[in-house]
Coordinates of all heavy atoms in Angstrom, one line a residue:
M20 N 36.7 -20.4 -11.0 CA 36.1 -19.5 -10.0 C 34.6 -19.8 -10.0 O 34.0 -20.2 -11.0 CB 36.3 -18.0 -10.5 CG 37.7 -17.5 -10.3 SD 37.8 -15.8 -10.5 CE 37.7 -15.7 -12.3
P21 N 34.0 -19.6 -8.9 CA 32.6 -19.9 -8.7 C 31.7 -18.9 -9.4 O 32.0 -17.8 -9.6 CB 32.4 -19.8 -7.2 CG 33.4 -18.8 -6.7 CD 34.6 -19.0 -7.7
M22 N 30.5 -19.5 -9.8 CA 29.5 -18.6 -10.4 C 28.4 -18.4 -9.4 O 27.9 -19.3 -8.8 CB 29.0 -19.3 -11.7 CG 27.9 -18.5 -12.3 SD 27.3 -19.2 -13.8 CE 28.6 -18.8 -15.0
Y23 N 28.0 -17.2 -9.3 CA 26.9 -16.9 -8.4 C 25.8 -16.2 -9.1 O 25.9 -15.7 -10.2 CB 27.4 -15.9 -7.3 CG 28.5 -16.4 -6.4 CD1 29.8 -16.0 -6.4 CD2 28.1 -17.4 -5.4 CE1 30.7 -16.5 -5.6 CE2 29.1 -17.9 -4.6 CZ 30.4 -17.5 -4.7 OH 31.3 -18.0 -3.8
E24 N 24.6 -16.4 -8.5 CA 23.4 -15.7 -9.0 C 23.2 -14.4 -8.3 O 23.4 -14.3 -7.1 CB 22.2 -16.7 -8.8 CG 22.1 -17.7 -9.9 CD 20.7 -18.4 -9.8 OE1 20.6 -19.3 -9.0 OE2 19.8 -18.0 -10.5
Y25 N 22.8 -13.5 -9.0 CA 22.5 -12.2 -8.4 C 21.1 -11.7 -8.8 O 20.6 -12.1 -9.8 CB 23.6 -11.1 -8.9 CG 24.9 -11.4 -8.4 CD1 25.8 -12.2 -9.0 CD2 25.3 -10.8 -7.1 CE1 27.1 -12.4 -8.5 CE2 26.5 -11.1 -6.6 CZ 27.4 -11.9 -7.3 OH 28.7 -12.1 -6.8
C26 N 20.6 -10.8 -8.0 CA 19.3 -10.2 -8.3 C 19.5 -8.7 -8.2 O 20.1 -8.2 -7.3 CB 18.3 -10.7 -7.2 SG 16.6 -10.1 -7.5
C27 N 18.9 -8.1 -9.2 CA 19.0 -6.6 -9.2 C 17.8 -6.0 -8.4 O 16.7 -6.4 -8.5 CB 18.8 -6.1 -10.7 SG 18.8 -4.3 -10.8
N28 N 18.2 -5.1 -7.5 CA 17.2 -4.5 -6.6 C 16.4 -3.5 -7.4 O 15.3 -3.1 -6.9 CB 17.9 -3.8 -5.5 CG 18.4 -4.8 -4.5 OD1 17.8 -5.8 -4.3 ND2 19.6 -4.5 -3.9
K29 N 16.9 -3.0 -8.5 CA 16.2 -2.0 -9.2 C 15.1 -2.5 -10.2 O 14.0 -2.2 -10.2 CB 17.2 -1.1 -10.0 CG 17.5 0.1 -9.2 CD 18.2 1.1 -10.1 CE 18.3 2.5 -9.4 NZ 19.1 3.4 -10.2
C30 N 15.6 -3.4 -11.1 CA 14.7 -3.9 -12.1 C 14.2 -5.4 -11.9 O 13.4 -5.9 -12.6 CB 15.3 -3.8 -13.5 SG 16.7 -4.9 -13.8
G31 N 14.8 -6.0 -10.9 CA 14.4 -7.3 -10.5 C 15.0 -8.4 -11.4 O 14.7 -9.6 -11.3
A32 N 15.9 -8.0 -12.2 CA 16.6 -9.0 -13.1 C 17.5 -10.0 -12.3 O 18.0 -9.6 -11.3 CB 17.4 -8.3 -14.2
Q33 N 17.5 -11.2 -12.8 CA 18.4 -12.1 -12.2 C 19.5 -12.5 -13.2 O 19.2 -12.7 -14.4 CB 17.7 -13.4 -11.7 CG 16.8 -13.1 -10.5 CD 16.1 -14.3 -10.0 OE1 16.7 -15.4 -10.0 NE2 14.8 -14.2 -9.7
F34 N 20.7 -12.6 -12.8 CA 21.7 -13.0 -13.7 C 22.8 -13.7 -12.9 O 22.9 -13.7 -11.7 CB 22.3 -11.7 -14.4 CG 22.8 -10.7 -13.4 CD1 24.2 -10.6 -13.1 CD2 21.9 -9.8 -12.8 CE1 24.6 -9.7 -12.2 CE2 22.4 -8.9 -11.8 CZ 23.8 -8.8 -11.6
E35 N 23.7 -14.4 -13.7 CA 24.8 -15.1 -13.1 C 26.1 -14.5 -13.5 O 26.2 -13.9 -14.5 CB 24.8 -16.6 -13.7 CG 23.6 -17.4 -13.2 CD 23.6 -18.8 -13.8 OE1 24.3 -19.0 -14.8 OE2 23.0 -19.7 -13.2
E36 N 27.0 -14.5 -12.5 CA 28.2 -13.9 -12.7 C 29.3 -14.7 -12.1 O 29.2 -15.3 -11.0 CB 28.2 -12.5 -12.1 CG 29.3 -11.6 -12.4 CD 29.1 -10.9 -13.8 OE1 28.0 -10.8 -14.2 OE2 30.1 -10.4 -14.3
I37 N 30.4 -14.8 -12.9 CA 31.5 -15.5 -12.3 C 32.4 -14.5 -11.6 O 32.9 -13.5 -12.2 CB 32.4 -16.2 -13.4 CG1 31.5 -17.2 -14.2 CG2 33.6 -16.9 -12.8 CD1 32.2 -17.9 -15.3
V38 N 32.6 -14.7 -10.3 CA 33.3 -13.7 -9.5 C 34.4 -14.4 -8.7 O 34.3 -15.6 -8.4 CB 32.3 -13.0 -8.6 CG1 31.3 -12.2 -9.3 CG2 31.7 -14.0 -7.6
S39 N 35.4 -13.7 -8.4 CA 36.4 -14.2 -7.6 C 35.9 -14.4 -6.1 O 35.0 -13.6 -5.7 CB 37.6 -13.2 -7.5 OG 38.4 -13.4 -6.4
S40 N 36.4 -15.4 -5.5 CA 35.9 -15.6 -4.1 C 36.3 -14.5 -3.2 O 35.7 -14.4 -2.1 CB 36.4 -17.0 -3.7 OG 37.8 -16.9 -3.7
S41 N 37.2 -13.7 -3.6 CA 37.6 -12.7 -2.7 C 36.9 -11.4 -3.0 O 37.1 -10.4 -2.3 CB 39.1 -12.4 -2.9 OG 39.4 -12.1 -4.2
A42 N 36.1 -11.4 -4.0 CA 35.3 -10.2 -4.3 C 34.4 -9.8 -3.2 O 33.7 -10.7 -2.7 CB 34.6 -10.4 -5.6
T43 N 34.3 -8.5 -2.9 CA 33.4 -8.1 -1.8 C 32.3 -7.3 -2.4 O 31.4 -6.9 -1.7 CB 34.2 -7.3 -0.8 OG1 34.8 -6.2 -1.5 CG2 35.2 -8.1 -0.1
T44 N 32.3 -7.0 -3.6 CA 31.3 -6.2 -4.2 C 30.5 -7.0 -5.2 O 31.0 -8.0 -5.7 CB 31.8 -4.9 -4.9 OG1 32.7 -5.4 -5.9 CG2 32.5 -4.0 -4.0
T45 N 29.3 -6.6 -5.4 CA 28.4 -7.3 -6.4 C 28.6 -6.7 -7.8 O 28.8 -5.5 -7.9 CB 26.9 -7.3 -6.0 OG1 26.6 -5.9 -5.8 CG2 26.7 -8.0 -4.7
P46 N 28.4 -7.5 -8.8 CA 28.5 -6.9 -10.2 C 27.3 -6.1 -10.5 O 26.3 -6.2 -9.9 CB 28.6 -8.2 -11.0 CG 27.9 -9.2 -10.2 CD 28.1 -8.9 -8.8
A47 N 27.5 -5.3 -11.5 CA 26.4 -4.4 -11.9 C 25.4 -5.2 -12.7 O 25.7 -6.2 -13.3 CB 26.9 -3.3 -12.8
C48 N 24.2 -4.7 -12.7 CA 23.1 -5.4 -13.4 C 23.3 -5.3 -14.9 O 23.6 -4.2 -15.4 CB 21.8 -4.8 -13.0 SG 20.4 -5.4 -14.0
P49 N 23.3 -6.4 -15.7 CA 23.5 -6.3 -17.1 C 22.3 -5.7 -17.8 O 22.4 -5.3 -19.0 CB 23.6 -7.8 -17.5 CG 22.8 -8.5 -16.4 CD 23.0 -7.7 -15.2
K50 N 21.2 -5.5 -17.2 CA 20.0 -4.9 -17.8 C 20.0 -3.4 -17.7 O 19.9 -2.7 -18.6 CB 18.8 -5.6 -17.3 CG 18.3 -6.8 -18.0 CD 16.9 -7.2 -17.6 CE 16.4 -8.3 -18.4 NZ 15.0 -8.7 -18.0
C51 N 20.0 -3.0 -16.4 CA 19.9 -1.6 -16.2 C 21.2 -0.9 -15.7 O 21.2 0.3 -15.4 CB 18.8 -1.3 -15.2 SG 19.1 -1.9 -13.5
A52 N 22.2 -1.7 -15.6 CA 23.5 -1.2 -15.2 C 23.6 -0.7 -13.8 O 24.5 0.0 -13.4 CB 24.0 -0.2 -16.2
S53 N 22.6 -1.0 -13.0 CA 22.6 -0.6 -11.6 C 23.5 -1.4 -10.8 O 23.7 -2.6 -11.0 CB 21.2 -0.7 -11.1 OG 21.2 -0.5 -9.7
G54 N 24.2 -0.7 -9.9 CA 25.1 -1.5 -9.0 C 24.4 -2.0 -7.8 O 25.0 -2.6 -6.9
D55 N 23.1 -1.7 -7.7 CA 22.3 -2.2 -6.6 C 21.9 -3.6 -6.8 O 20.7 -3.9 -7.0 CB 21.1 -1.2 -6.4 CG 20.4 -1.4 -5.1 OD1 21.0 -2.2 -4.3 OD2 19.3 -0.9 -4.9
T56 N 22.8 -4.5 -6.7 CA 22.5 -5.9 -6.8 C 22.9 -6.7 -5.6 O 23.7 -6.2 -4.8 CB 23.2 -6.5 -8.0 OG1 24.6 -6.3 -7.9 CG2 22.8 -5.8 -9.3
K57 N 22.4 -7.9 -5.5 CA 22.8 -8.7 -4.3 C 22.9 -10.1 -4.8 O 22.3 -10.6 -5.7 CB 21.7 -8.5 -3.2 CG 20.4 -9.0 -3.7 CD 19.3 -8.6 -2.7 CE 17.9 -8.9 -3.2 NZ 16.9 -8.2 -2.3
K58 N 23.7 -10.8 -4.0 CA 23.9 -12.2 -4.3 C 22.8 -13.1 -3.8 O 22.2 -12.9 -2.7 CB 25.2 -12.7 -3.7 CG 25.6 -14.1 -4.0 CD 26.7 -14.6 -3.1 CE 28.0 -13.8 -3.3 NZ 29.1 -14.4 -2.4
L59 N 22.4 -14.0 -4.6 CA 21.3 -15.0 -4.2 C 22.0 -16.2 -3.6 O 22.9 -16.7 -4.1 CB 20.5 -15.4 -5.4 CG 19.8 -14.2 -6.1 CD1 19.0 -14.8 -7.3 CD2 18.9 -13.4 -5.2
M60 N 21.5 -16.6 -2.5 CA 22.1 -17.8 -1.8 C 21.6 -19.0 -2.5 O 22.3 -19.8 -3.0 CB 21.8 -17.8 -0.3 CG 22.6 -16.7 0.4 SD 24.3 -16.7 0.0 CE 24.9 -15.3 0.9
S61 N 20.3 -19.2 -2.5 CA 19.7 -20.4 -3.1 C 18.6 -20.0 -4.0 O 18.4 -20.3 -5.1 CB 19.3 -21.4 -2.1 OG 18.4 -20.8 -1.2
A62 N 17.7 -19.2 -3.4 CA 16.6 -18.6 -4.2 C 16.5 -17.1 -3.9 O 17.3 -16.6 -3.0 CB 15.3 -19.3 -3.8
C63 N 15.7 -16.5 -4.6 CA 15.6 -15.0 -4.4 C 14.7 -14.8 -3.2 O 13.5 -14.6 -3.3 CB 14.9 -14.4 -5.6 SG 15.0 -12.6 -5.5
R64 N 15.3 -14.9 -2.0 CA 14.5 -14.8 -0.8 C 15.1 -13.7 0.1 O 14.7 -13.6 1.3 CB 14.5 -16.1 -0.1 CG 15.9 -16.7 0.0 CD 16.0 -17.9 0.9 NE 16.0 -17.5 2.3 CZ 17.1 -17.0 2.9 NH1 18.3 -17.0 2.2 NH2 17.1 -16.7 4.1
T65 N 16.0 -13.0 -0.3 CA 16.6 -12.0 0.5 C 15.7 -10.8 0.7 O 14.8 -10.6 0.0 CB 17.9 -11.5 -0.1 OG1 17.7 -11.1 -1.4 CG2 19.0 -12.6 -0.1
R66 N 16.0 -10.1 1.8 CA 15.1 -8.9 2.1 C 15.9 -7.7 1.9 O 17.1 -7.6 1.9 CB 14.7 -9.0 3.6 CG 13.9 -10.2 3.9 CD 13.6 -10.3 5.4 NE 12.8 -11.5 5.7 CZ 11.5 -11.5 5.5 NH1 10.8 -10.5 5.1 NH2 10.8 -12.6 5.8
T67 N 15.2 -6.6 1.6 CA 15.8 -5.4 1.4 C 16.4 -4.8 2.7 O 15.7 -4.8 3.7 CB 14.8 -4.4 0.8 OG1 14.2 -4.9 -0.4 CG2 15.5 -3.1 0.4
G68 N 17.6 -4.4 2.6 CA 18.2 -3.9 3.8 C 17.7 -2.6 4.2 O 17.1 -1.9 3.5
A69 N 17.9 -2.3 5.5 CA 17.3 -1.1 6.0 C 18.0 0.2 5.5 O 17.4 1.3 5.5 CB 17.3 -1.1 7.6
G70 N 19.2 0.0 5.1 CA 20.0 1.2 4.7 C 19.9 1.5 3.2 O 20.6 2.4 2.8
Q71 N 19.1 0.9 2.5 CA 19.0 1.1 1.1 C 18.0 2.2 0.8 O 16.8 2.0 0.9 CB 18.6 -0.1 0.3 CG 19.7 -1.2 0.4 CD 19.3 -2.5 -0.3 OE1 18.1 -2.7 -0.6 NE2 20.2 -3.3 -0.5
T72 N 18.5 3.3 0.4 CA 17.6 4.5 0.1 C 17.1 4.4 -1.3 O 17.9 4.0 -2.2 CB 18.4 5.8 0.4 OG1 19.5 5.8 -0.5 CG2 18.8 5.9 1.8
G73 N 16.0 4.9 -1.5 CA 15.4 4.9 -2.9 C 14.9 3.6 -3.3 O 14.2 3.5 -4.4
A74 N 15.1 2.5 -2.6 CA 14.6 1.2 -3.0 C 13.1 1.1 -2.7 O 12.7 1.5 -1.6 CB 15.4 0.1 -2.4
R75 N 12.4 0.7 -3.7 CA 11.0 0.5 -3.5 C 10.8 -0.8 -2.8 O 10.8 -1.9 -3.4 CB 10.2 0.5 -4.8 CG 9.8 1.9 -5.1 CD 8.8 1.8 -6.3 NE 9.3 0.9 -7.3 CZ 8.6 0.4 -8.3 NH1 7.3 0.7 -8.3 NH2 9.1 -0.4 -9.2
T76 N 10.6 -0.8 -1.5 CA 10.5 -2.0 -0.8 C 9.0 -2.5 -0.8 O 8.1 -1.7 -0.8 CB 10.8 -1.8 0.7 OG1 10.0 -0.8 1.2 CG2 12.3 -1.4 0.8
A77 N 8.9 -3.8 -0.9 CA 7.5 -4.3 -1.0 C 7.0 -4.2 0.4 O 7.7 -4.2 1.4 CB 7.6 -5.8 -1.4
T78 N 5.7 -4.1 0.5 CA 5.0 -4.1 1.8 C 5.2 -5.4 2.5 O 5.5 -6.4 1.9 CB 3.5 -3.8 1.6 OG1 3.0 -4.9 0.9 CG2 3.3 -2.5 1.0
S79 N 5.1 -5.4 3.8 CA 5.3 -6.6 4.6 C 4.4 -7.7 4.1 O 4.7 -8.9 4.3 CB 5.2 -6.3 6.0 OG 3.9 -5.8 6.3
S80 N 3.3 -7.4 3.5 CA 2.3 -8.4 3.1 C 2.6 -8.8 1.7 O 1.9 -9.7 1.2 CB 0.9 -7.9 3.3 OG 0.7 -6.7 2.5
G81 N 3.5 -8.2 1.0 CA 3.7 -8.5 -0.4 C 4.3 -9.9 -0.5 O 5.1 -10.3 0.3
G82 N 4.0 -10.5 -1.6 CA 4.5 -11.9 -1.8 C 5.8 -11.8 -2.6 O 6.2 -10.8 -3.1
G83 N 6.5 -12.9 -2.6 CA 7.7 -13.0 -3.3 C 8.9 -12.3 -2.6 O 8.8 -12.1 -1.4
C84 N 9.8 -12.0 -3.4 CA 11.1 -11.4 -2.9 C 10.9 -9.9 -2.8 O 10.6 -9.2 -3.8 CB 12.2 -11.8 -3.9 SG 13.7 -10.9 -3.5
S85 N 11.2 -9.4 -1.7 CA 11.0 -7.9 -1.5 C 12.1 -7.2 -2.2 O 12.0 -6.0 -2.5 CB 11.1 -7.6 0.0 OG 12.4 -8.0 0.5
G86 N 13.2 -7.9 -2.6 CA 14.3 -7.3 -3.3 C 14.0 -7.1 -4.8 O 14.6 -6.2 -5.4
C87 N 13.1 -7.8 -5.3 CA 12.7 -7.7 -6.7 C 11.6 -6.7 -6.8 O 10.4 -7.1 -6.5 CB 12.4 -9.0 -7.3 SG 13.7 -10.2 -7.3
A88 N 11.9 -5.5 -7.0 CA 10.9 -4.4 -7.0 C 9.6 -4.8 -7.7 O 9.6 -5.2 -8.9 CB 11.5 -3.2 -7.6
G89 N 8.5 -4.7 -7.0 CA 7.2 -5.0 -7.6 C 6.9 -6.5 -7.6 O 5.9 -6.9 -8.1
G90 N 7.8 -7.3 -7.2 CA 7.6 -8.7 -7.2 C 7.6 -9.3 -8.6 O 6.9 -10.3 -8.8
N91 N 8.4 -8.7 -9.5 CA 8.4 -9.2 -10.8 C 9.5 -10.2 -11.1 O 9.9 -10.5 -12.2 CB 8.5 -8.1 -11.8 CG 9.7 -7.2 -11.6 OD1 10.4 -7.4 -10.6 ND2 9.9 -6.2 -12.4
C92 N 10.0 -10.7 -10.0 CA 11.1 -11.7 -10.1 C 10.4 -13.1 -10.3 O 9.8 -13.6 -9.4 CB 12.0 -11.7 -8.9 SG 13.3 -12.9 -8.9
A93 N 10.6 -13.6 -11.5 CA 9.8 -14.8 -11.9 C 10.0 -16.0 -11.0 O 9.1 -16.7 -10.6 CB 10.1 -15.2 -13.3
S94 N 11.2 -16.2 -10.6 CA 11.5 -17.4 -9.8 C 11.2 -17.3 -8.3 O 11.2 -18.3 -7.6 CB 13.0 -17.7 -10.0 OG 13.8 -16.9 -9.1
C95 N 10.9 -16.1 -7.9 CA 10.5 -16.0 -6.5 C 9.0 -15.8 -6.3 O 8.6 -15.6 -5.2 CB 11.3 -15.0 -5.7 SG 12.2 -13.9 -6.6
H96 N 8.3 -15.7 -7.3 CA 6.9 -15.5 -7.1 C 6.1 -16.7 -7.4 O 6.4 -17.4 -8.3 CB 6.4 -14.3 -8.0 CG 5.0 -13.9 -7.7 ND1 4.7 -13.3 -6.5 CD2 3.9 -14.0 -8.4 CE1 3.4 -13.1 -6.5 NE2 2.9 -13.5 -7.6
Ligands
LIG102 ZN1 18.6 -4.2 -13.0

């Protein structure tokens, strides 16, 4: 089964998870146990979706990955 990289929208942690190709949900964050995670395609460059409530979105001028709250995602900054 393939291994994917995920980024936590809450604490900005990145982790790898082996998931089934048929899986439609993302795994929970191993750090904060939040289910608010997303799959990374190549780098942490995804944007926070419009429908995510409570997520601290980075300002449009903020650097790095908007999904990693506060831009503390090491690999995207
Ligand atoms: Zn987390």
Side-chain angles (χ1 to χ4, degrees):
M20 286 193 286
M22 176 178 284
Y23 293 110
E24 277 191 277
Y25 290 91
C26 182
C27 176
N28 287 325
K29 265 197 171 169
C30 70
Q33 289 184 41
F34 57 98
E35 293 179 337
E36 191 81 18
I37 299 176
V38 296
S39 163
S40 57
S41 61
T43 55
T44 57
T45 55
C48 172
K50 271 193 173 179
C51 69
S53 168
D55 190 9
T56 57
K57 63 192 170 191
K58 187 193 295 182
L59 302 181
M60 288 312 176
S61 55
C63 190
R64 46 168 282 279
T65 51
R66 297 174 181 278
T67 305
Q71 293 178 347
T72 58
R75 269 192 315 163
T76 58
T78 59
S79 55
S80 60
C84 170
S85 62
C87 295
N91 57 357
C92 178
S94 78
C95 14
H96 188 65

